[in-house]
Amino acid sequence: MFALSTEQLDIQKAAKDFAEGEFRPIARELDAASRFEERLWEKAAELGFLAVFLPEKYEGLGLGYIEQCLILEEFARVDLGITHAIESTFFGTQLIDLIGTPEQKEKYLPPICLGRMKMGMAITEPDAGSDVSAVSTEACRQGDEYILNGGKVFITNCKRADFLVVLCVTDPHNPKVHKRFSTIIVETDRPGYDATPYHGKLSLRASETGDAVFKNVRVPATNLLGEEGRGFYNIMAFFDRSRVQVAALSVGTAQGALDKAISHVRQREQFGRPLAALQLVQGKIAEMATRTEAARSIYYRAASMLDTGKADPALSSMAKWYCAEVAVQVADEAIQLHGGYGILEEYNVAHYWRNAKVLEIFEGSKEVEKIIVAKKILGKY
Ligand SMILES: Cc1cc2nc3c(=O)[nH]c(=O)nc-3n(C[C@H](O)[C@H](O)[C@H](O)COP(=O)(O)OP(=O)(O)OC[C@H]3O[C@@H](n4cnc5c(N)ncnc54)[C@H](O)[C@@H]3O)c2cc1C
């Protein structure tokens, strides 16, 4: 894909206008207070920005990942924290759409698209971060129920979500480690579920992250998402899709920081001239713009690949680590170009750098992404 269609340009503009009008005036205040206003999510739903890749029969727009990514890029260009608080409410619908039963799709997808329900994905545990196969939360089958016990960490929407898709062990003695797991939908109002959000985060302060505990939580067996024993593979299929969305969030973060840097170097004078007249500064701006554009190209390609119906794990991973690294580099240079003012929150550029960092860590750290890429290139050796 080399040029956006008129419809895609319209979607991009609508997302930009929404983020500028609704996020910009309140973003710094929400970030400083580590809070979110649910009206922003409700309005985003009203305007049809949530899970646009879902079919129309489930209240999606029947569009593609590319359109979703264009929306997320424009949102993140203004503020990643607010964007994440909105995006995370439908983070996981990709998987329900892919492997859910018709009943599960009917029950969960429309309310999420319409902004009436929020979800989350619960994978990470204290001893299972990058190594997803070390997950130990157990789900024992008893009659027509599963009983869950265990604890998760770093769970987005741990308290806010109406339900979580939980990766848990259902066949602990299977000699094939990757076949020990299943994905199970757990409503957060079930007895035995508890959550504690964190305070004092570097990044994504408007978005909720915290611990989730399952103590004898009973769910009907019909809450099994996909087949028993396929949980690990389900999560990998989910990551193939969600990582491209993180790539788009990264490009939005880079572009937002670049916008701030351009505006600053045009205004700030030193040595009797605007910083923009200094060639070393011009070189920095050119490099930042080039990196951002290259990152955008790779996520366009990765998203377009998903829209053909073929996930390419290595391409999704390339897009994820590369775009995140560009976000960190560009946000870093944006602060450098602001000089001392860059570290003052009131100059409205520090948050791009703070937020960029998490993009290199969650949903697969950049090191993990490179392992996936290398595996495809090198194969067995
Ligand atoms: C804000 C935020 C939101 C999150 N939301 C969710 C969520 O909603 N659901 C969820 O399940 N999780 C969530 N996470 C968790 C996130 O996915 C994990 O933090 C991430 O997978 C890394 O795991 P870890 O923190 O345990 O780090 P570790 O796995 O301990 O890794 C530490 C470092 O070691 C490196 N490393 C690990 N293994 C290797 C290796 N084999 N080779 C080279 N380097 C390696 C890593 O790259 C990393 O740099 C969230 C995290 C954050 C910060």
Side-chain angles (χ1 to χ4, degrees), residues 148-180:
L148 277 83
N149 279 289
K152 300 280 180 183
V153 292
F154 287 110
I155 304 308
T156 301
N157 296 339
C158 59
K159 230 179 164 70
R160 231 179 129 219
D162 295 284
F163 71 93
L164 301 171
V165 170
V166 184
L167 180 67
C168 37
V169 179
T170 44
D171 185 5
H173 305 298
N174 194 315
K176 295 208 162 121
V177 174
H178 290 155
K179 295 195 170 170
R180 292 179 184 169

Side-chain angles (χ1 to χ4, degrees), residues 168-307:
C168 37
V169 179
T170 44
D171 185 5
H173 305 298
N174 194 315
K176 295 208 162 121
V177 174
H178 290 155
K179 295 195 170 170
R180 292 179 184 169
F181 308 95
S182 300
T183 34
I184 297 181
I185 295 171
V186 180
E187 293 84 357
T188 55
D189 59 359
R190 290 192 178 272
Y193 178 78
D194 200 12
T196 315
Y198 306 143
H199 296 286
K201 288 187 295 176
L202 176 78
S203 316
L204 303 182
R205 292 176 179 168
S207 172
E208 182 184 82
T209 319
D211 291 345
V213 175
F214 306 87
K215 258 193 207 152
N216 293 318
V217 178
R218 289 173 176 271
V219 299
T222 49
N223 276 26
L224 177 71
L225 180 62
E227 288 171 37
E228 222 181 72
R230 295 288 306 167
F232 179 85
Y233 306 100
N234 296 342
I235 294 301
M236 295 305 129
F238 162 68
F239 280 149
D240 291 343
R241 290 154 180 82
S242 69
R243 284 172 180 163
V244 179
Q245 290 178 208
V246 177
L249 295 175
S250 303
V251 172
T253 303
Q255 186 65 56
L258 175 60
D259 294 343
K260 293 294 296 179
I262 292 168
S263 143
H264 183 77
V265 300
R266 281 189 166 139
Q267 286 164 23
R268 170 80 173 160
E269 292 198 0
Q270 286 294 281
F271 302 100
R273 291 189 295 170
L275 292 178
L278 306 173
Q279 285 192 329
L280 209 52
V281 168
Q282 291 174 3
K284 279 183 192 287
I285 295 287
E287 283 173 8
M288 291 157 78
T290 307
R291 289 200 172 104
T292 305
E293 199 53 50
R296 185 173 285 120
S297 298
I298 195 169
Y299 103 61
Y300 277 13
R301 200 163 114 59
S304 303
M305 178 63 86
L306 291 179
D307 290 334

Side-chain angles (χ1 to χ4, degrees), residues 84 88 91 120-132 152-157 198 201 203-204 207-210 239 358 360-368 371:
H84 194 254
S88 60
F91 171 71
M121 294 292 290
I123 305 155
T124 310
E125 298 182 1
D127 295 324
S130 300
D131 183 6
V132 171
K152 300 280 180 183
V153 292
F154 287 110
I155 304 308
T156 301
N157 296 339
Y198 306 143
K201 288 187 295 176
S203 316
L204 303 182
S207 172
E208 182 184 82
T209 319
F239 280 149
V358 77
E360 292 193 313
I361 296 170
F362 67 2
E363 289 186 56
S365 66
K366 61 179 168 181
E367 291 78 16
V368 166
I371 292 171

